[in-house]
Amino acid sequence: MAIRLESINLIIPLKNINYSYSGGFELFLQHYQSRFGDTFWHDALLFRAGAVNPAEMKSLVLFWQQKGLVPYEETDEKKKWKDMCVIESSHAEPTLPCDWLEVDHENNSVFLKGKPKGRIIGREEIKLFYS
């Protein structure tokens, strides 16, 4: 499956949420259910949180950093995304290199590298799923 991009996107593998959020993704979903289909959506492997400006995105990154995720790492004096990835829809490229994410420019979506792209999940698909 793949995640549709809109505005500014924070993409996190579900496995990272499962080990960083007490109670895992299922409890996170319960706590923030009202945001799913609005600014949050997910497929079987990836979670997407959206923002409309850099300040809002910074607060989302900080939220997950406080939960124990490491936003980026520096190797050989280069930064790259580690436990999460920020990607702007207008550029359709991660803001830093992200070696675990594939970008589908044609469909303005992303999916986990090494996995089939499959169906694209966005706002409307999640609203149907959770209604």
Side-chain angles (χ1 to χ4, degrees):
M1 296 181 131
I3 299 291
R4 184 171 317 285
L5 299 175
E6 272 186 25
S7 302
I8 308 171
N9 306 269
L10 176 64
I11 307 295
I12 304 173
L14 291 183
K15 67 180 177 109
N16 293 355
I17 294 174
N18 281 328
Y19 78 72
S20 66
Y21 195 86
S22 182
F25 183 71
E26 290 302 318
L27 190 57
F28 174 77
L29 177 63
Q30 289 176 25
H31 288 163
Y32 296 95
Q33 187 172 10
S34 66
R35 295 186 69 181
F36 281 82
D38 182 21
T39 58
F40 293 174
W41 48 83
H42 67 92
D43 65 10
L45 301 171
L46 297 173
F47 165 75
R48 181 261 186 198
V52 293
N53 60 60
E56 190 178 0
M57 180 52 63
K58 186 176 181 178
S59 71
L60 287 168
V61 170
L62 183 59
F63 173 86
W64 287 105
Q65 189 174 15
Q66 291 171 341
K67 298 292 182 199
L69 295 184
V70 177
Y72 59 84
E73 62 186 352
E74 291 188 51
T75 56
D76 301 326
E77 300 181 21
K78 292 182 181 179
K79 279 186 180 180
K80 70 177 187 176
W81 291 110
K82 185 176 179 189
D83 293 335
M84 60 186 80
C85 179
V86 174
I87 182 168
E88 295 182 16
S89 182
S90 61
H91 299 113
E93 289 297 331
T95 57
L96 296 171
C98 183
D99 57 11
W100 49 266
L101 197 64
E102 291 281 344
V103 178
D104 176 359
H105 294 93
E106 185 177 324
N107 293 299
N108 198 31
S109 63
V110 294
F111 57 100
L112 198 59
K113 188 176 274 187
K115 301 292 183 184
K117 182 179 86 176
R119 189 169 141 230
I120 299 171
I121 304 295
R123 176 186 313 273
E124 295 305 317
E125 292 81 3
I126 284 297
K127 283 180 181 178
L128 289 172
F129 184 77
Y130 286 111
S131 59

